[in-house]
Amino acid sequence: MTLHARLAELATLGATGGGIDRALFTAAERAARERFVAWAREDGLRVVQDRVGNVFARLAASPETVPGDEDAPVQCGSHLDTVRNGGAYDGAYGVVGGLEALRRIAESGELVQRPIEVVAWAGEEGSRFPLGCLGSSVYAGLTPFDEVAALVGDDGESFASALRGPGGLLDGVFVRDGFPPPAAYVELHIEQGPVMEREGARLGIVSAIAGQRRFRVTVDGVAGHAGTVPMAVRADALCAASELVLTVERAASAVADTVATVGHLLVEPNQTNIVPGRVVFRIDLRSVDDGRVEDVEREIRARAAEVAAKRGVGVTIELLEARAPVPMETRMRLLVRAACKARDPYAMAIVSGAGHDAMCVAHVAPTAMIFVPSIGGRSHVGDERTAPADLELGVDALAATLLAAAASPIGAERTGGASER
Ligand code: GLV
Ligand code: MN
Ligand code: MN
């Protein structure tokens, strides 16, 4: 099956009509992991999973490189979960493109000097449990398994329960614990923004990934009768939250290269004739400069205290997740650059405003990323698209980077050098 046929098949799993819903450990997301395993086995790869739901498909090193197959692998990968009403390429392209790259490498007859793996990381989007890059964060030792197990999803089910449930770990796939870190990691992804298309670049060499913080804000007012409580004495939680949402917009707009979004908001009790008593919303705040994130957070907190005092409501701001900006590792970035420039003279350096599993893996291995353009810059929406020829070119660049990384001293010691965690 071709890259395009596989992507098209994945796009049917969780299709809503307007996009794709494939939150972690739902039936659709599990079906996507099952397809990945079936395709990987069809391609002759060895498949294992870990206890958090990450799935690893491995191409062995060439026999003549013995003991190359004992070495830590070079990895690529991305995620199979989606945001609500998401697109067909965010994450899926890096996973299916990884399989395609391994197939091209195997068919090329080139010497493969280390094992090469494609990883489908569990729950990158944070669309069910309130932690982005969940699987890669546990893998990289950034979040303890027990902390993740206790997370409760939007539907009220805990991660631990969902993991054991029908959407959780796959049957018939060995569950391995204590993976050594890879020798190197490279993630192939769509850009998800308009920059490459504007610049006429078909390949992007990611220089850094923006840092992000996510917050949960709870506004406690006083619920009451919409017809009888005079305006002057209300403590309307939604009116206060509305001021705070605009504060978030103003605070990020005032600081260069910084973005902030309120994309999730719940009103209680959410009835036309009741003054809202409580609102819970989330803030997503990002910049490649952590100092700017800090400045915006400080401004939001100061204004929130003012709104609380002025409106007589309680405002609590909890930090749910903080990831510092991550520069790509120089040697890996240079391998990516060589692979991209050989295929596209207009290949450009680019900063990723989106988060990726690469942010976590970068803590344990030299890491880089390759981007392909997004048509119209559209992503996290149903009409996310990339030209088929650009998808193919990205896979070629990935295959070249993986082969080069497997042949290079990146990742330090060979056999026996990797420590089990
Ligand atoms: C993931 O796509 C993110 O950047 O939120
Ligand atoms: Mn993604
Ligand atoms: Mn995404």
Side-chain angles (χ1 to χ4, degrees), residues 90 124-125 214 286 354-355 380:
D90 176 2
E124 190 269 353
E125 296 287 9
R214 293 184 184 177
R286 310 185 189 204
H380 278 189

Side-chain angles (χ1 to χ4, degrees), residues 79 83 90 124-125 133 189 192 212 214 284 286 353-356 380:
H79 56 97
V83 290
D90 176 2
E124 190 269 353
E125 296 287 9
C133 300
H189 207 283
Q192 308 184 267
Q212 51 177 280
R214 293 184 184 177
D284 176 309
R286 310 185 189 204
H356 300 288
H380 278 189

Side-chain angles (χ1 to χ4, degrees), residues 134-274:
L134 186 153
S136 52
S137 190
V138 174
Y139 175 81
L142 302 176
T143 311
F145 177 81
D146 291 346
E147 209 172 282
V148 166
L151 290 174
V152 176
D154 287 345
D155 52 358
E157 186 172 13
S158 73
F159 179 88
S161 156
L163 181 72
R164 285 190 304 269
L169 288 183
L170 298 174
D171 303 319
V173 179
F174 184 71
V175 181
R176 198 178 127 174
D177 208 1
F179 283 81
Y185 178 76
V186 55
E187 183 159 346
L188 175 66
H189 207 283
I190 55 168
E191 180 203 339
Q192 308 184 267
V195 177
M196 292 173 62
E197 187 176 66
R198 201 174 58 212
E199 299 293 323
R202 298 178 63 201
L203 293 169
I205 305 141
V206 176
S207 52
I209 305 174
Q212 51 177 280
R213 294 187 194 180
R214 293 184 184 177
F215 305 90
R216 175 166 47 220
V217 183
T218 306
V219 182
D220 281 305
V222 180
H225 196 295
T228 61
V229 183
M231 296 306 283
V233 300
R234 291 186 179 194
D236 182 321
L238 183 56
C239 289
S242 305
E243 278 202 52
L244 293 174
V245 171
L246 293 176
T247 293
V248 168
E249 184 190 40
R250 267 194 297 273
S253 304
V255 178
D257 299 327
T258 303
V259 291
T261 308
V262 176
H264 186 275
L265 186 145
L266 300 169
V267 181
E268 290 176 23
N270 209 19
Q271 186 167 327
T272 314
N273 57 354
I274 303 178

Side-chain angles (χ1 to χ4, degrees), residues 142 208-213 287-291 293 321-328 355-356 358-360 362-363:
L142 302 176
I209 305 174
Q212 51 177 280
R213 294 187 194 180
S287 175
V288 273
D289 178 342
D290 223 19
V293 169
E321 182 176 344
R323 300 205 187 276
V326 176
M328 298 292 92
H356 300 288
M359 297 179 86
C360 294
H363 287 262

